[in-house]
Amino acid sequence: MTSEYAGSPTREEIISNDLLDMSMTILKTLSDPARLQMLWALSRAEHSLSELAQYVGVSPTVAGQLLARLRTTGVLQTRKSGRHVIYSMQDERLKLFIGQALDFAEYRLAVSNQDESVSQVSSS
């Protein structure tokens, strides 16, 4: 019996180190609940730093730290409006990705809840 997984993968089947590193950076960025909340808000509209901080329940200093890396890498844009820094997200692919990640999480929650319901019924 031969396995379909036997043999070494071809070069096209291996993810490049650069792509792996970037993918992990993106996923790690989204793994922080406060940052994900702020990114979701920014995918819908621009917000001041104080609005984002209030939205996720952290100080403006903490919110600024959570967003600093995204700003310096160009993922988020900022502008001044009086004394306020206004954050925005222009990258439509990022907006779509965040929405898809949340849609997938919602789907997995529904499947998990359905599995739990079936398991509870069968154990009764």
Side-chain angles (χ1 to χ4, degrees):
M1 181 170 157
T2 60
S3 169
E4 62 185 86
Y5 301 107
S8 298
T10 65
R11 191 151 204 46
E12 293 79 30
E13 295 172 320
I14 298 174
I15 302 170
S16 73
N17 287 337
D18 288 344
L19 185 54
L20 273 175
D21 289 345
M22 180 56 71
S23 298
M24 292 310 301
T25 297
I26 291 166
L27 294 172
K28 284 178 188 176
T29 298
L30 295 178
S31 71
D32 183 284
R35 189 180 289 128
L36 182 55
Q37 284 280 9
M38 288 188 283
L39 288 171
W40 172 245
L42 288 167
S43 74
R44 318 285 290 180
E46 64 180 23
H47 294 280
S48 70
L49 183 60
S50 57
E51 288 172 334
L52 291 168
Q54 186 176 15
Y55 182 66
V56 299
V58 299
S59 71
T61 301
V62 171
Q65 291 169 349
L66 290 168
L67 296 173
R69 186 173 184 181
L70 299 171
R71 193 183 75 234
T72 59
T73 59
V75 171
L76 298 179
Q77 293 70 45
T78 59
R79 66 178 174 81
K80 286 280 212 175
S81 178
R83 294 182 6 208
H84 299 282
V85 176
I86 307 297
Y87 283 80
S88 63
M89 182 188 303
Q90 304 302 316
D91 189 331
E92 293 300 320
R93 290 183 74 166
L94 178 57
K95 292 178 184 180
L96 182 63
F97 180 73
I98 290 168
Q100 288 174 334
L102 294 170
D103 285 347
F104 182 69
E106 189 173 49
Y107 161 76
R108 292 303 310 155
L109 280 172
V111 168
S112 177
N113 290 339
Q114 186 179 37
D115 290 347
E116 286 178 18
S117 296
V118 168
S119 141
Q120 289 174 355
V121 168
S122 64
S123 66
S124 299

